[in-house]
Amino acid sequence: MGKYRCLSCKKEFELDEKAATIRCPACGSRFVEVLDAPNRKRGKSWSAKTFSVK
């Protein structure tokens, strides 16, 4: 089980780690923050800037 927070409605919820898509059960939004999920990566922060220079 992983713990997540919806970025739209701010509700915290738990989901099974085997779920293919993570959606908020309250509003259905896919924009969630990983609070505690051992097998999922948090990814880059929203303020991270990535670009390539050629």
Side-chain angles (χ1 to χ4, degrees):
M1 295 294 283
K3 191 169 185 176
Y4 304 92
R5 180 187 309 136
C6 178
L7 295 176
S8 298
C9 67
K10 307 293 186 219
K11 179 178 170 134
E12 291 187 8
F13 57 94
E14 291 187 0
L15 284 178
D16 189 18
E17 295 176 7
K18 296 176 185 172
T21 58
I22 300 172
R23 290 186 180 266
C24 175
C27 67
S29 175
R30 293 184 319 156
F31 298 106
V32 298
E33 177 184 5
V34 178
L35 296 177
D36 182 30
N39 294 333
R40 292 226 186 236
K41 295 181 180 178
R42 288 184 64 109
K44 293 183 179 180
S45 68
W46 289 94
S47 62
K49 295 183 174 134
T50 58
F51 56 90
S52 61
V53 177
K54 290 186 177 185

